[in-house]
């Protein structure tokens, strides 16, 4: 199973393997490549907004293309593939099965990602990661928008195939002695995520087909000039993508449940409440999609229903947080990198959750809607909470993948640069929203308050960029020159590590 860096296998052996660890490795490496590519676009956006007026981008249309590809890349080519990679690597081990249920289908699902990514990056569309009509229907230039649509359809099909494989592997291939209520909570996180994906994605698939036929001029679902309704697209979009936020989050919850008991050296406080909260959170995810559309003219009754539905997610999320805190309370905590990143992610989750409640409350949402407050909230959740836990889990799996240990000091430098940077960027973006700065804009008025806050945000983004460079150096250097890991218990926390000896190539 260990990636032999000193004695590498032929590249083609890994590329064309159907073994779950090899496919998982491809997912993980690809997701980090796209994380750095999307991050480079984020640096470009923040540099452009460092001062009012054109800074490094002279064409506003080009700016729109940058933030479209940035958002699409980091959501669909970083978060989803990373979770799928970790699932591929660990699920068969955790359910005690030799491989995924359908190994070849598993490899096919992965190999759908490169062409989907190529369409998005080469198309370079300017319609935002949401593709709202009527602009995307009647004004967005082709073939860029068409390539974005087909790229997302390929990525969506890849997610559906992967989810089917996870569900069958977990429910049908788990060891006979392992009841469903004995599955690790990481497995529960992947299972609920996969079921949500299968329920949510077909709606967006249909919306993309309708959008494309509108662009061809053979239908008028969303084209107001022909009697269509652009708001209908928003309903279809958010019916998929509000649950999708939880689809991004559920694997991180499962990873936190895997890490916190081990590094607290205590059993999980309440396994049953963790399972129940995962299931309820996945259901609530579908019951609150229209809270993204409270400013689109719905009736007061409809707004109230969706506001209450969204607030119902708060106690379910809090149940996880209380479970984590109760587990670590009184434990002999070892603050190695995995635990540090997980606790950092939970701290940012508190801030992101508080901002989300403001977005949910009707009077406050009308103040913050389409402002930088929303940008700050969303990024604090996605690039703060979720990505922090993902990075912590990457450090935890590093010995399993490479057989070596990473540099703990560099991991601490990475963590603090990213944590301080996240506060500087995303908290400041909340304040920018309160000062009335709209999101998705190329330029802003030359106001001293706006200028200084944008400069703080950009400085924070640079700190995060430096942090990720440190991470990249640490991973590559440690994989080649790192100290050999004690594979039975590499973190010396008295816990049995994953079965590192199991490798059964087909």
């Amino acid at each position: 199973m260990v990636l032999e860096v000193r004695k590498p296998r032929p590249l083609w052996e890994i590329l064309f393997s159907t073994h779950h660890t090899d496919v998982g490795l491809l997912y993980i490496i690809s997701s980090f490549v796209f994380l750095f590519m999307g991050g480079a676009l984020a640096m470009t956006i923040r540099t452009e907004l460092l001062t009012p007026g054109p800074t490094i981008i002279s064409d506003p249309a080009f700016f729109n293309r940058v933030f479209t590809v940035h958002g699409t890349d980091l959501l669909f080519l970083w978060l989803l593939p990373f979770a799928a990679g970790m699932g591929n690597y660990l699920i068969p081990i955790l359910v005690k099965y030799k491989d995924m249920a359908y190994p070849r289908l598993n490899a096919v699902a992965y190999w759908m990602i490169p062409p989907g990514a190529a369409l998005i990056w080469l198309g370079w569309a300017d319609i935002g990661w949401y593709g709202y009509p009527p602009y995307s229907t009647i004004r967005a230039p082709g073939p860029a928008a068409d390539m974005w649509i087909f790229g997302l359809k390929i990525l969506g099909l890849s997610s559906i195939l992967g989810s089917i494989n996870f569900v069958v592997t977990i429910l049908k291939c788990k060891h006979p002695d392992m009841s469903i209520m004995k599955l690790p909570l990481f497995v529960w996180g992947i299972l609920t995520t996969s079921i949500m994906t299968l329920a949510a994605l077909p709606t967006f698939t249909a919306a993309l087909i309708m959008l494309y036929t509108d662009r061809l001029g053979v239908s008028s679902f969303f084209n107001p000039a022909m009697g269509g309704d652009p708001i209908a697209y928003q309903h279809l979009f958010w019916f998929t993508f509000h649950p999708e936020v939880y689809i991004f989050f559920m694997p991180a919850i499962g990873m936190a449940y895997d890490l916190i008991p081990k590094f607290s050296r205590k059993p999980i406080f309440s396994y049953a409440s963790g399972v129940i909260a995962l299931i309820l959170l996945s259901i609530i995810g579908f019951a609150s999609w229209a809270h993204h559309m409270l400013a689109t003219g719905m009736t007061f009754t409809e707004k109230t229903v969706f506001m209450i539905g969204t607030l119902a997610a708060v106690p379910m999320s809090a149940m996880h947080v209380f479970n984590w805190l109760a587990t670590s309370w009184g434990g002999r905590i070892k603050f190695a990198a995995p635990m540090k990143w997980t606790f950092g992610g939970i701290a940012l989750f508190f801030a992101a959750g508080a901002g989300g409640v403001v977005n949910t409350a009707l009077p406050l949402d009308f103040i913050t809607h389409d402002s930088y407050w929303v940008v700050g909230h969303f990024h604090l959740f996605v690039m703060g909470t979720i990505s922090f836990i993902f990075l912590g889990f990457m450090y935890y799996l590093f010995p399993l993948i490479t057989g070596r240990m990473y540099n703990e000091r560099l991991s601490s430098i990475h963590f603090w640069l990213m944590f301080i940077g996240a506060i500087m960027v995303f908290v400041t973006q909340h304040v920018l929203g309160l000062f009335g700065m709209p999101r998705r804009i190329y330029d802003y008025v030359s106001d001293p308050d706006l200028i200084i806050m944008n400069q703080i945000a950009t400085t924070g983004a640079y700190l995060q960029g430096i942090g990720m460079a440190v991470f990249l150096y640490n991973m590559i250097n440690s994989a080649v020159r790192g100290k050999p890991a004690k594979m039975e218990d590499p973190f010396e926390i008295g816990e049995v590590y994953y079965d590192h000896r199991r490798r059964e190539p087909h």
Side-chain angles (χ1 to χ4, degrees):
M1 178 182 299
V2 173
L3 177 66
E4 298 176 6
V5 179
R6 286 186 180 277
K7 298 179 180 178
R9 287 179 288 155
L11 184 60
W12 61 266
E13 187 178 304
I14 298 176
L15 291 177
F16 297 106
S17 170
T18 59
H19 193 268
H20 69 96
T21 58
D22 288 330
V23 177
L25 189 62
L26 292 174
Y27 267 113
I28 294 168
I29 292 174
S30 300
S31 66
F32 275 108
V33 169
F34 290 119
L35 171 62
F36 280 94
M37 292 171 68
L41 296 183
M43 294 294 113
T44 305
I45 293 170
R46 285 312 322 166
T47 302
E48 174 54 41
L49 296 174
L50 184 65
T51 56
T55 305
I56 59 171
I57 299 175
S58 57
D59 181 10
F62 185 80
F63 181 84
N64 291 340
R65 296 180 189 280
V66 171
F67 85 70
T68 295
V69 178
H70 157 75
T72 308
D73 175 280
L74 288 177
L75 290 175
F76 304 111
L77 297 172
W78 152 238
L79 294 176
L80 291 180
F82 182 82
M86 288 299 174
N88 266 286
Y89 220 102
L90 292 180
I91 292 295
I93 297 172
L94 295 175
V95 302
K96 300 179 181 178
Y97 191 64
K98 60 181 180 181
D99 203 332
M100 296 293 286
Y102 309 115
R104 292 180 181 175
L105 186 68
N106 200 30
V108 169
Y110 167 75
W111 282 106
M112 296 182 79
I113 291 178
L119 284 170
I120 289 166
W121 272 88
L122 296 176
W124 206 236
D126 65 347
I127 55 179
W129 72 272
Y130 34 83
Y132 278 176
Y135 178 75
S136 61
T137 303
I138 59 178
R139 294 290 300 276
D146 304 321
M147 292 172 73
W148 180 86
I149 291 171
F150 278 96
L152 280 191
K153 290 190 74 65
I154 292 172
L155 295 178
L157 184 56
S158 167
S159 292
I160 289 173
L161 295 179
S163 297
I164 292 171
N165 219 344
F166 280 131
V167 172
V168 175
T169 303
I170 294 169
L171 296 182
K172 294 295 183 182
C173 302
K174 63 183 173 59
H175 194 278
D177 292 339
M178 183 179 282
S179 71
I180 195 161
M181 288 305 288
K182 288 184 179 177
L183 292 173
L185 282 164
F186 173 74
V187 179
W188 269 104
I190 296 294
L191 178 63
T192 50
T193 299
S194 301
I195 293 173
M196 288 182 74
T197 300
L198 295 176
L201 273 185
T203 305
F204 185 57
T205 303
L208 285 177
I209 293 173
M210 296 159 75
L211 193 66
Y212 185 63
T213 55
D214 274 11
R215 286 180 56 80
L216 293 176
V218 298
S219 65
S220 57
F221 296 108
F222 311 125
N223 185 351
M226 299 172 67
D229 182 5
I231 300 298
Y233 175 85
Q234 293 192 30
H235 280 290
L236 296 173
F237 180 87
W238 287 114
F239 182 80
T240 296
F241 282 96
H242 186 68
E244 190 80 11
V245 174
Y246 295 90
I247 289 170
F248 298 144
F249 188 36
M250 295 291 195
I253 293 175
M255 292 172 192
Y257 273 120
D258 208 30
L259 295 177
I260 290 176
K262 290 177 179 174
F263 285 86
S264 299
R265 292 178 252 200
K266 278 182 62 187
I268 190 73
F269 176 73
S270 173
Y271 172 91
S273 70
V275 173
I276 292 169
L278 279 169
I279 295 173
L280 291 180
L281 201 56
S282 63
I283 296 171
I284 291 169
F286 285 96
S288 49
W289 82 87
H291 91 259
H292 294 269
M293 304 161 55
L294 295 179
T296 57
M298 289 190 295
T299 66
F300 180 76
T301 303
E302 291 168 337
K303 293 173 187 173
T304 305
V305 168
F306 282 107
M307 181 182 74
I308 294 171
T310 307
L311 290 174
V314 175
M316 296 305 106
S317 302
M319 191 182 295
H320 290 304
V321 175
F322 291 144
N323 216 348
W324 295 329
L325 296 180
T327 300
S328 56
W329 187 266
R332 293 183 298 118
I333 300 175
K334 180 167 185 176
F335 280 105
M339 192 63 158
K340 208 178 297 177
W341 282 92
T342 304
F343 270 22
I346 294 172
L348 296 176
F349 183 48
F350 274 106
V357 171
V358 171
N359 293 339
T360 304
L362 281 176
L364 299 177
D365 180 71
F366 279 96
I367 298 173
T368 58
H369 186 77
D370 267 345
S371 75
Y372 248 84
W373 176 282
V374 179
V375 178
H377 161 67
F378 185 64
H379 281 75
L380 199 55
F381 184 62
V382 172
M383 292 310 295
T385 304
I386 299 175
S387 294
F388 267 54
I389 297 175
F390 278 8
L391 288 168
F393 208 68
M394 183 64 230
Y395 279 112
Y396 185 60
L397 239 64
F398 188 79
L400 181 65
I401 295 173
T402 65
R404 297 179 179 277
M405 287 301 291
Y406 57 84
N407 185 306
E408 190 69 44
R409 180 175 295 179
L410 289 179
S411 75
S412 290
I413 295 172
H414 176 208
F415 171 78
W416 285 110
L417 285 171
M418 290 290 287
F419 189 74
I420 295 170
I423 293 172
M424 290 177 68
V425 183
F426 306 133
V427 173
T428 304
Q429 286 177 336
H430 283 76
V431 182
L432 276 168
L434 295 179
F435 271 70
M437 180 165 168
R439 61 176 171 171
R440 307 165 188 159
I441 60 165
Y442 163 70
D443 195 5
Y444 53 94
V445 296
S446 184
D447 177 83
D449 293 328
L450 294 184
I451 293 173
I452 189 64
M453 283 189 282
N454 272 291
Q455 290 174 345
I456 291 171
T458 301
T459 304
Y462 290 160
L463 288 181
Q464 291 196 309
I466 295 170
M468 289 308 297
V470 172
F471 168 74
L472 182 63
Y473 171 79
N474 194 5
M475 292 292 103
I476 295 175
N477 188 59
S478 298
V480 178
R481 299 190 182 89
K483 180 181 172 185
K486 300 173 183 175
M487 297 304 292
E488 299 300 327
D489 183 12
F491 294 91
E492 299 179 343
I493 50 179
E495 286 283 339
V496 176
Y497 200 48
Y498 302 120
D499 184 3
H500 62 280
R501 294 161 299 184
R502 204 184 77 160
R503 171 152 183 83
E504 302 163 2
H506 298 288

